[in-house]
Amino acid sequence: MAPPRLAFEGISKVFPGVKALSDVSFSVAPGEIHALLGENGAGKSTLLRILSGVFRATEGEVKVDGTVHHFRKPDSARQAGIAMIHQELQQVPHLSVAQNMFLGHSLTRFGGMIVNRREQERRAAEALAMIDPSIDPAVPISTLKVAQRQVVEIARALLDKAKIIAMDEPTSSLTPSEFERLAEIIERLAASGVSIIYVSHKMDEVFRVCQRATVMRDGKVVGVGIDLKTTSPDDVIAMMVGRELLTEEHHSHTTDTVSVEVRNLSTHRIRDVSFDLHKGEVLGVAGLVGSGRTELLRALSGADKLISGTVNVDGKALTLSNPRAAIAAGIGLLPEERKREGIIPGRSVSMNMALPSMNRFSKAGIINHRKLKRTAEDLLKRVNLRPFQLDRQIRLFSGGNQQKAIIARWLAAGSRILLFDEPTRGIDVGAKSEIYHLIEDLAHEGHSIIVVSSELPEVMRVSDRVLVMRDGAVVAELGHEDLSEETIVSHAVGKADNRRGAA
């Protein structure tokens, strides 16, 4: 019998004071699409870093086609036929597609003195032709959509003759149609004999593309070789979190009191947007990528300049000249790009929490660390930060716990109006459930909340009403009782308008 394409045998990894992996063993067959599942902090990323040569295992072996490998650096893993496609793409924006594909191992001539760009573009075009020949290898990679940039990373792996491709949350920024295109590419790769390790928190995607799964929890394997054709998503989720997640109905806490009035708001990306937001209400915003959802929240948070329109908060006109003005008015934004725009990675979680309200914790430029610690303990305990280490750098926390810290930030600032942009992107199912409960609890306390989400089940789960946007404008307002994925999508793409026009 032929050996598996990839085998982890007794992999353990110990960091100072922490055992991140304990005796992890499972295998992946040639041409198999294998899901690697678990909550954030389960050990998936550590395992993939061992596979890609970033970390060395403390114990155990990695075998590729039956041969034992101890990768000392990423280049060694690449030469063994292993490619890693990260959630945050490892690309240089101002370089061309071809230059990015040959990053770190450029083709040269004249004894290595000159990069052979023409040959790089030729070989890049050959690799791209196998999956998406429409991508021009000579254009700057920054001009491509996220979905196309994902394709470039896959083509780069093919260029390196990868036998194993690990994909870490590859669809976190993709639309449903872009996911379907990626799924077709993955299936073609598998049919050609390439083995895929697929990491995702989106169960519908996992069950769409993967054949088997390995589930991890707390650094250990708790389920191996799971046949996804005969196993339900609920059973897999229960294995991941160690408990059943109860499916709960939406509970509305909206009141008749209007907290925010938006009239005829326009920026360079949105046009003539009007709506009311009530105290205790969760207002969802849906639409395709590029419809203006994020830009609406940026306008309300003072990040984007207004061209026209008015915003009243508690009956008072607000001049949104900058984010500081919005914060002073009680508006807090949880941005879509959490790592780039929401946190200072090298600072502690408590300092990140205090960023917009540092004047509460300082006098004459001197921070009252005792007061800061008391507030951080209260608020971070309330949002269930895990691990509860207030002095730990925020970059060392999972995405879900970083998001909890940002929510605590706005509670510390006394914000009454909360703007959540993709609140659970890249967050595991257990943390998602906690974020949903936090949103509902905050609404119950009287906060007014706007939630932008690309996941329709999510926006339907948390919202009292949903605004649907298209081309920078609000094209529909749907009450909770009128919500369905079909209705939202039909408005988002214009089909509902077409049907009314035909009538």
Side-chain angles (χ1 to χ4, degrees):
M1 182 181 293
R5 173 56 47 81
L6 171 68
F8 294 102
E9 296 186 355
I11 297 291
S12 296
K13 178 63 179 176
V14 178
F15 296 103
V18 178
K19 191 166 189 179
L21 296 175
S22 180
D23 195 27
V24 172
S25 299
F26 69 93
S27 62
V28 181
E32 180 185 357
I33 308 171
H34 192 103
L36 180 58
L37 305 176
E39 293 189 275
N40 287 331
K44 307 185 303 295
S45 295
T46 301
L47 186 65
L48 293 185
R49 284 173 182 155
I50 290 171
L51 176 64
S52 60
V54 176
F55 293 160
R56 292 193 67 187
T58 306
E59 297 176 7
E61 296 178 336
V62 176
K63 292 182 179 179
V64 178
D65 292 329
T67 301
V68 175
H69 290 270
H70 297 283
F71 302 125
R72 296 179 180 274
K73 54 185 179 179
D75 195 52
S76 302
R78 185 178 66 83
Q79 290 173 8
I82 295 165
M84 181 79 194
I85 298 177
H86 300 270
Q87 178 180 355
E88 296 179 9
L89 298 175
Q90 310 292 299
Q91 296 168 336
V92 182
H94 66 273
L95 295 183
S96 72
V97 168
Q99 286 172 315
N100 272 280
M101 289 174 66
F102 282 91
L103 208 58
H105 51 101
S106 300
L107 299 180
T108 59
R109 52 184 178 168
F110 302 122
M113 296 177 64
I114 299 176
V115 174
N116 192 340
R117 291 195 177 189
R118 181 175 296 179
E119 182 62 13
Q120 286 188 167
E121 289 176 6
R122 186 189 69 78
R123 293 198 195 178
E126 286 180 354
L128 287 164
M130 290 187 268
I131 45 182
D132 190 345
S134 69
I135 297 175
D136 183 351
V139 303
I141 202 160
S142 59
T143 63
L144 302 184
K145 295 179 180 178
V146 173
Q148 292 174 307
R149 292 172 62 186
Q150 290 276 18
V151 168
V152 170
E153 286 294 284
I154 295 171
R156 182 183 182 183
L158 296 180
L159 200 63
D160 290 336
K161 296 181 171 53
K163 298 182 287 186
I164 300 161
I165 301 178
M167 298 183 174
D168 188 4
E169 296 287 350
T171 66
S172 62
S173 299
L174 304 189
T175 64
S177 61
E178 288 170 336
F179 161 69
E180 283 300 324
R181 170 71 176 139
L182 179 64
E184 292 171 5
I185 292 171
I186 290 171
E187 288 166 348
R188 288 213 310 272
L189 289 172
S192 71
V194 177
S195 299
I196 309 289
I197 298 178
Y198 192 89
V199 176
S200 178
H201 296 307
K202 299 179 179 179
M203 288 296 106
D204 55 338
E205 293 181 3
V206 167
F207 278 77
R208 160 73 174 81
V209 300
C210 300
Q211 291 114 17
R212 294 193 306 150
T214 293
V215 178
M216 297 182 65
R217 188 171 71 242
D218 299 328
K220 301 175 182 178
V221 170
V222 295
V224 65
I226 300 164
D227 186 346
L228 296 178
K229 291 181 180 177
T230 60
T231 308
S232 74
D234 287 343
D235 288 341
V236 172
I237 290 171
M239 214 177 294
M240 289 167 60
V241 301
R243 64 189 187 280
E244 282 191 42
L245 291 180
L246 298 177
T247 303
E248 298 181 15
E249 295 183 0
H250 172 74
H251 298 287
S252 177
H253 303 289
T254 188
T255 68
D256 293 333
T257 304
V258 175
S259 57
V260 182
E261 297 172 274
V262 176
R263 295 292 180 269
N264 309 113
L265 201 67
S266 295
T267 68
H268 68 294
R269 296 294 299 274
I270 61 172
R271 52 192 175 88
D272 202 29
V273 172
S274 298
F275 64 89
D276 289 340
L277 175 65
H278 293 251
K279 183 178 180 181
E281 181 179 24
V282 181
L283 177 65
V285 182
L288 302 179
V289 173
S291 62
R293 304 168 307 172
T294 290
E295 288 76 13
L296 173 60
L297 296 197
R298 287 180 60 85
L300 293 173
S301 66
D304 285 353
K305 185 178 180 181
L306 303 186
I307 295 173
S308 61
T310 61
V311 178
N312 291 349
V313 175
D314 295 331
K316 297 179 182 178
L318 180 60
T319 303
L320 286 170
S321 53
N322 53 50
R324 198 175 292 275
I327 292 170
I331 298 173
L333 171 67
L334 286 82
E336 177 183 18
E337 297 287 346
R338 179 176 59 246
K339 290 186 178 179
R340 192 176 70 187
E341 300 177 349
I343 63 172
I344 300 178
R347 302 300 294 273
S348 70
V349 66
S350 58
M351 290 297 288
N352 269 274
M353 183 212 72
L355 285 175
S357 53
M358 193 59 76
N359 61 323
R360 280 188 58 193
F361 308 108
S362 61
K363 188 173 183 180
I366 300 174
I367 298 173
N368 184 334
H369 288 282
R370 183 175 296 177
K371 184 177 181 181
L372 173 57
K373 183 180 180 182
R374 281 201 307 268
T375 303
E377 284 179 343
D378 290 343
L379 293 178
L380 293 172
K381 192 174 293 181
R382 178 183 169 189
V383 299
N384 195 25
L385 181 79
R386 296 195 305 268
F388 195 70
Q389 298 173 2
L390 307 187
D391 294 328
R392 192 185 196 199
Q393 291 182 5
I394 196 168
R395 68 181 179 85
L396 301 176
F397 285 84
S398 69
N401 283 289
Q402 289 176 6
Q403 199 74 311
K404 291 175 189 177
I406 299 174
I407 294 172
R409 168 188 300 167
W410 297 118
L411 298 181
S415 301
R416 305 178 310 282
I417 300 153
L418 301 175
L419 313 177
F420 288 73
D421 196 355
E422 301 288 1
T424 66
R425 174 168 289 171
I427 290 176
D428 62 66
V429 288
K432 271 189 180 185
S433 180
E434 289 187 88
I435 296 293
Y436 295 161
H437 281 96
L438 269 173
I439 290 172
E440 201 157 88
D441 288 346
L442 291 168
H444 186 237
E445 293 171 8
H447 291 81
S448 303
I449 301 169
I450 301 178
V451 175
V452 164
S453 179
S454 299
E455 297 187 32
L456 295 185
E458 175 169 284
V459 82
M460 293 165 58
R461 160 69 178 84
V462 301
S463 303
D464 299 305
R465 285 183 299 144
V466 171
L467 302 179
V468 184
M469 296 190 71
R470 187 175 73 246
D471 298 328
V474 173
V475 295
E477 178 184 318
L478 305 171
H480 188 79
E481 65 281 358
D482 300 320
L483 293 179
S484 70
E485 292 192 33
E486 181 183 7
T487 303
I488 293 172
V489 170
S490 66
H491 285 293
V493 301
K495 290 181 180 178
D497 298 344
N498 293 338
R499 285 200 295 268
R500 284 200 298 269

